[in-house]
Amino acid sequence: MYPPLPEYPAHTYALHLQQLLLKNGVVDFEGEGKVPINGFFLPGGGGMFGVLVARDQNGNEVLLKAFSGSCMGHLNLPGWVDHLVDEESYHEYLRMFDAPIKEIGRLAEAASSEQERRLHLTTRSELSRMALSYYRELYRIATLEGNRVRLESIFPGGKAPTGSGDCCAIKLLQYAFTRQLHPISMAEFFFGAPTKDSGRSHLSFYGPCDEKCKPILHAMLTLDIIYQDSHIIIVNKDAGLLSVPGRGPQKIDSVETRLRKLMPNLPLQCAVHRLDMDTSGLLILAKDKETHKRMNKQFSEKQVIKSYVALLEGVVRQEKGEISLPFRLDAEHRPLQVYDEQQGKWGTTRFQRVRVERRSDGSLATRMLFFPLTGRTHQLRVHSAHGKGLGHPIKGDRLYGSGMSDRLYLHAKTLSFHHPITGVWMEFSTEDPF
């Protein structure tokens, strides 16, 4: 995962932290100095460290540092941000489960028969599952908006990977959000001997991990920020969220407004393009007016390449092709678009059928890739549903199809363009969310 916050100036402070660790030879250099760094250099003993730059309510700069997991058996150390689970709750958890689990293990080893041993092992496994569930309930993840969410509610099926919530990025943001500190910059580096197949090297900088950190950071920041630099931000927008704020208090919540809470200095209009509220996927936002202007130019000159994935109702027989239709806004039934050969604006889309799928309810749907060559409002939805197009509405389309049950099955999957400042060709891709 790419770092969700700017790395500078935190990167500079992180370099200084590296030197402090190496120079002092201990992790708790602000404490008693009894936790040496030697253990990090044993085979597979390395770990992640992070620095967060934040501002308090008076505008003062605050520096925070964290280590992932526990540090040589220590949950907390002086000078480092706290673990998400407080010490008292952690030790209560150990008192409830650690000794009983170990005792059942000893009974299994001393069992007089294989049947008795298996019975003890089954009991231990069940108690271990209960212990893990209890422990995960101790985590309450703080969000940018001031809410708290359960750890297991963040992951599909409630199955949080072991160690979720213990990474330094999560610790740093949790500490900031629970103390009214505004995050500005964050950087993380690996320290010590790499674990097997980790691909990480001593003192090198890395972003948060995809498996454990990405879903939690999505919940904490209320946005899935997949890339950002000094000029642009790429967000994987959730279905049901506006790209930009609308009129009235009920339509304030949007990608722009959420992002501005995290980065207050963004221009008033920072979204370079828009996705329908019901559509999920990749969205480009600009950090300054010049970047916004240059990205708009790329869109107007059709230099930006986009692809969408969709599920269409029923079986589409055409394997591939191109659709070109004229349509316009139905002023009496906003935001509906209608076919109009006289006053409509032409929109063109290329399509490629991926496969026909049988859904869990027994219905058939066609997975389709769309490559829009123009950017008309509801273009893909109209091209899918209209009889002069494919004649198969996108599943979940409440305007042109049979209605929405959970979501519109349309997702902006890929995005490619020249970086507006450096000119480097950039390509972004997401997994299908359905």
Side-chain angles (χ1 to χ4, degrees), residues 69-80:
S70 60
C71 183
M72 305 303 160
H74 297 271
L75 208 61
N76 296 309
L77 288 173
W80 299 81

Side-chain angles (χ1 to χ4, degrees), residues 388-402:
K388 291 182 178 294
L390 293 173
H392 292 265
I394 296 174
K395 184 177 173 63
D397 195 332
R398 53 184 173 179
L399 292 178
Y400 308 98
S402 55

Side-chain angles (χ1 to χ4, degrees), residues 302-321:
K302 297 181 174 56
Q303 296 178 1
V304 179
I305 300 174
K306 298 181 290 182
S307 76
Y308 291 70
V309 63
L311 280 182
L312 275 58
E313 297 178 8
V315 178
V316 179
R317 297 187 180 279
Q318 301 98 310
E319 290 190 5
K320 60 182 178 179

Side-chain angles (χ1 to χ4, degrees), residues 147-376:
N147 302 318
R148 292 289 188 111
V149 295
R150 295 173 54 249
L151 177 64
E152 293 198 342
S153 70
I154 294 173
F155 292 86
K159 297 181 180 179
T162 302
S164 298
D166 294 342
C167 297
C168 48
I170 310 302
K171 289 184 179 182
L172 289 165
L173 289 174
Q174 179 88 358
Y175 189 94
F177 291 160
T178 55
R179 289 162 177 80
Q180 291 74 54
L181 300 175
H182 185 83
I184 300 297
S185 169
M186 183 166 60
E188 301 175 77
F189 63 87
F190 188 82
F191 188 86
T195 55
K196 185 178 181 181
D197 300 326
S198 71
R200 294 177 173 178
S201 57
H202 181 50
L203 303 183
S204 294
F205 286 80
Y206 301 93
C209 65
D210 285 332
E211 181 187 19
K212 293 181 288 187
C213 292
K214 187 173 182 178
I216 301 177
L217 288 173
H218 186 176
M220 297 184 85
L221 301 175
T222 69
L223 287 172
D224 184 8
I225 302 172
I226 68 168
Y227 176 85
Q228 62 82 32
D229 59 30
S230 300
H231 303 283
I232 61 172
I233 306 164
I234 310 296
V235 170
N236 184 18
K237 186 184 84 67
D238 294 332
L241 178 65
L242 291 167
S243 297
V244 300
R247 295 180 180 178
Q250 302 300 321
K251 295 184 178 181
I252 293 297
D253 189 27
S254 67
V255 172
E256 277 197 353
T257 49
R258 290 186 183 186
L259 196 56
R260 195 167 284 109
K261 289 180 182 179
L262 190 63
M263 305 176 188
N265 295 326
L266 290 175
L268 184 60
Q269 295 180 336
C270 52
V272 176
H273 61 121
R274 301 183 185 186
L275 295 175
D276 294 343
M277 181 178 73
D278 294 339
T279 304
S280 61
L282 295 172
L283 187 70
I284 309 173
L285 301 103
K287 286 188 174 182
D288 56 79
K289 291 183 179 179
E290 180 61 25
T291 296
H292 194 279
K293 177 182 175 181
R294 294 189 183 190
M295 282 308 309
N296 273 334
K297 187 172 185 292
Q298 287 195 57
F299 271 97
S300 64
E301 295 178 353
K302 297 181 174 56
Q303 296 178 1
V304 179
I305 300 174
K306 298 181 290 182
S307 76
Y308 291 70
V309 63
L311 280 182
L312 275 58
E313 297 178 8
V315 178
V316 179
R317 297 187 180 279
Q318 301 98 310
E319 290 190 5
K320 60 182 178 179
E322 183 173 296
I323 304 166
S324 189
L325 297 176
F327 48 95
R328 60 165 176 80
L329 173 67
D330 184 344
E332 296 182 358
H333 302 92
R334 294 173 181 270
L336 198 70
Q337 304 291 311
V338 294
Y339 180 85
D340 189 330
E341 293 186 0
Q342 280 71 44
Q343 300 182 35
K345 292 184 178 180
W346 289 85
T348 304
T349 304
R350 290 178 183 159
F351 64 91
Q352 173 70 56
R353 189 181 66 186
V354 179
R355 61 179 175 268
V356 175
E357 305 175 3
R358 187 171 295 281
R359 308 299 292 172
S360 59
D361 61 1
S363 64
L364 292 176
T366 302
R367 185 170 295 267
M368 190 74 75
L369 286 178
F370 287 121
F371 306 91
L373 304 184
T374 55
R376 307 297 181 212

Side-chain angles (χ1 to χ4, degrees), residues 117-157:
R117 187 183 75 87
R118 289 182 178 181
L119 180 62
H120 286 311
L121 292 178
T122 300
T123 303
R124 185 178 67 176
S125 295
E126 181 60 30
L127 188 59
S128 295
R129 284 193 293 270
M130 291 174 58
L132 181 59
S133 178
Y134 179 92
Y135 183 67
R136 285 172 174 167
E137 281 297 318
L138 298 178
Y139 288 78
R140 286 296 183 270
I141 307 298
T143 73
L144 179 63
E145 296 181 335
N147 302 318
R148 292 289 188 111
V149 295
R150 295 173 54 249
L151 177 64
E152 293 198 342
S153 70
I154 294 173
F155 292 86

